[in-house]
Structures are given as structure tokens and as C-alpha cells.
Amino acid sequence: MFFENTTCLRCGTGLGFDTDQLTLVRFDNTTDARRCANQAIAVCNWLVPATDPDPDALCVSCRLTRTRPSDSDKTALAAFADAESAKRRVVFQLLDLGLPLESWEDRSRGLGYDLLSSNGVQVVTGHEDGIVTIDLAESDDPHREQVRLDMGEPYRTMLGHLRHETGHYYWTVLVEPTERLGDFRALFGDERADYAEAVSRHYDQGAPPGWRSGHVSAYATMHPWEDWAETFAHYLHIRDTLQTAAAFGMRIDTAEQVLSADPAVDVDREPFESILDDWLPLTYALNAVNRSMGRDDLYPFVLSPAVVRKLAWVHQLTLSHVGHTPTSRAA
Ligand SMILES: [Zn+2]
Ligand SMILES: [Zn+2]
């Protein structure tokens, strides 16, 4: 069973994702849930409570979307469904971490998504006042690959964009209004640095030489806000991939380290460095597997000690949040 399934491939039983249990459940007439109204348009396999009187009730993920393409734009709607699928992975992680999930409908500057196509109009991927805007043209593989090459990036995906932009939102929730702002500045730099100036410097001169010793990506060097968003996204990459490997019972034996398979890798444990003892051998193996298929490395990153310190801070920050209760396995 995969995260995206709507039926069991073996027996044909209907499946849906239960957002309370954070797991796929059998979906038939005996459950007290029904399918999200976006089942067709967003290929959504999440469930809503059957007690919800609204026949068009949306699941917790679909509800976060504020704007989508019009029904007449078939190309954009296909890209929208892909983006919603990636977004469900992100929302699953937010629920799994117990991070506060206040939507744009609940409060001003709450979290929302505008999923729009730049075909004919200008759409700039970014975050502002809680709203994440995604250019759906990025779900088109040739377009995204061209941008990736133009920007000299080793990794560019719709899921990565969603994690990055969602990270900007969580900076305004977990860092900005808290006493952690000082620690943030000590690790990531002072975010009061002029942003527009930082953007033009980055596009004029690129990342400074030796950037890998302090940053997880070249883009992260642009401004402390971008460093945070790149680090937050990277943290979600590691969690998701480790949880998936554990759900499949993957086991990596190296000379010194063994990725524990069952029981599930505990991605909530501390210190964060002990999670890397599982993570790094897994990435070496997955990169080797990709090379056997003639593909680029699945994980084209190097984690310097400074980057590990930032990731560990994000780990500690998300785990210390009151809503967090350790859970869960996802594939
Ligand atoms: Zn839905
Ligand atoms: Zn950003």
C-alpha cells in the first residue's frame, strides 16, 4: 500500500487516508468517514468525517488551497492534481509533527495555497503573509528541468518547492514571534538584512566560494530567510524518506552502521546526529541504486557540520512544539 492509493492492489478494497490516525484505512460502508469532495479533481484519497453535513466537505489538505485553476483550463488542472498530491505529503508531515495548522480561513496570515498556472499570466512562486503561491508550470518535467539547469541546481521538484515555501510560513509561527529569534540569528544570520539587495546580489554574483561549508544549497546563501526555508525543507526530506524506508523494512548494512528497519526508524529521537547514522548510509545506497539505472544521484547533497547544526536546531524546534506527539509510519 502506498500513500497515494485509493484501493488495495491485492484485494480491491477501497482505501482512504484517515487524518486522525495518520494512516491509510479500509474504506467501505462500515467506516465513519467519506471521501474528500476533491477526490476527482485533485485525485485526493483523504477522508472527511461522515458526520460533516456539507456534501462538498474537503479534507484538511484540500481546505488549505485558496485558489486553483478554472475548470476550463485542463492542462493547469492536471498540474494542479500533481501539486495537490505533493502537498498532501507536506500536510501529512505537518500533522505528524503536530505543528499548528491554522488556515487562511481561520485567521489572517494563516496558511493557504494559491496553485496557479503561469500560462498567459505572471505567477511567482513564493510566500507572503501565510499564502504560498506555486507556479503549476513547475509540475511540467521539461520546463522544471530547464529551469534547474539554468539555475545550476542539483535538485528541483514540486515537493521541494512546497516544503521550502511552507517553511517560510513556519518561520513566522515558530521563530519570529518567539524568544528563539536570537538563537535563529546566531545560526542562520540576521534576517533584517535587506532582502531585495540580497536577491540581486545572489543573481549577479552567485553563491560565495566555499558555500558548502555553511549552507545546504547555493540558494540558501542568499538570505537568512532562504537558509531557513532550505534547511526546513531538507529536514522534511530526511524525515519522509527515512519513514518510507522504514515502512518498507529497508535495511542497510555497512561496516559501521546498520539502518534499523523494524521497529520503524524513530525519526523523533534525539540527538539529531543519531538520525544521521541511519540517514547517511541510506543515501549512499540509494545513490548507488540510481547510478545502476543510469540516473543522477537521488540525494545530491553534502551535510557539513554547520548544516547539521542547523538541521538539529530545526529538529529540536519542531519536536519541542507543544502539539507534537510521537507517531507514525508512512510510505
Ligand atoms: Zn482532499
Ligand atoms: Zn524562499
Side-chain angles (χ1 to χ4, degrees), residues 197-219:
E197 213 169 86
V199 172
S200 66
R201 188 194 62 240
H202 182 77
Y203 287 110
D204 283 354
Q205 302 166 20
W211 61 263
R212 281 183 182 81
S213 64
H215 296 83
V216 74
S217 69
Y219 193 75

Side-chain angles (χ1 to χ4, degrees), residues 13 75 164 318:
T13 305
T75 309
H164 173 106
T318 52

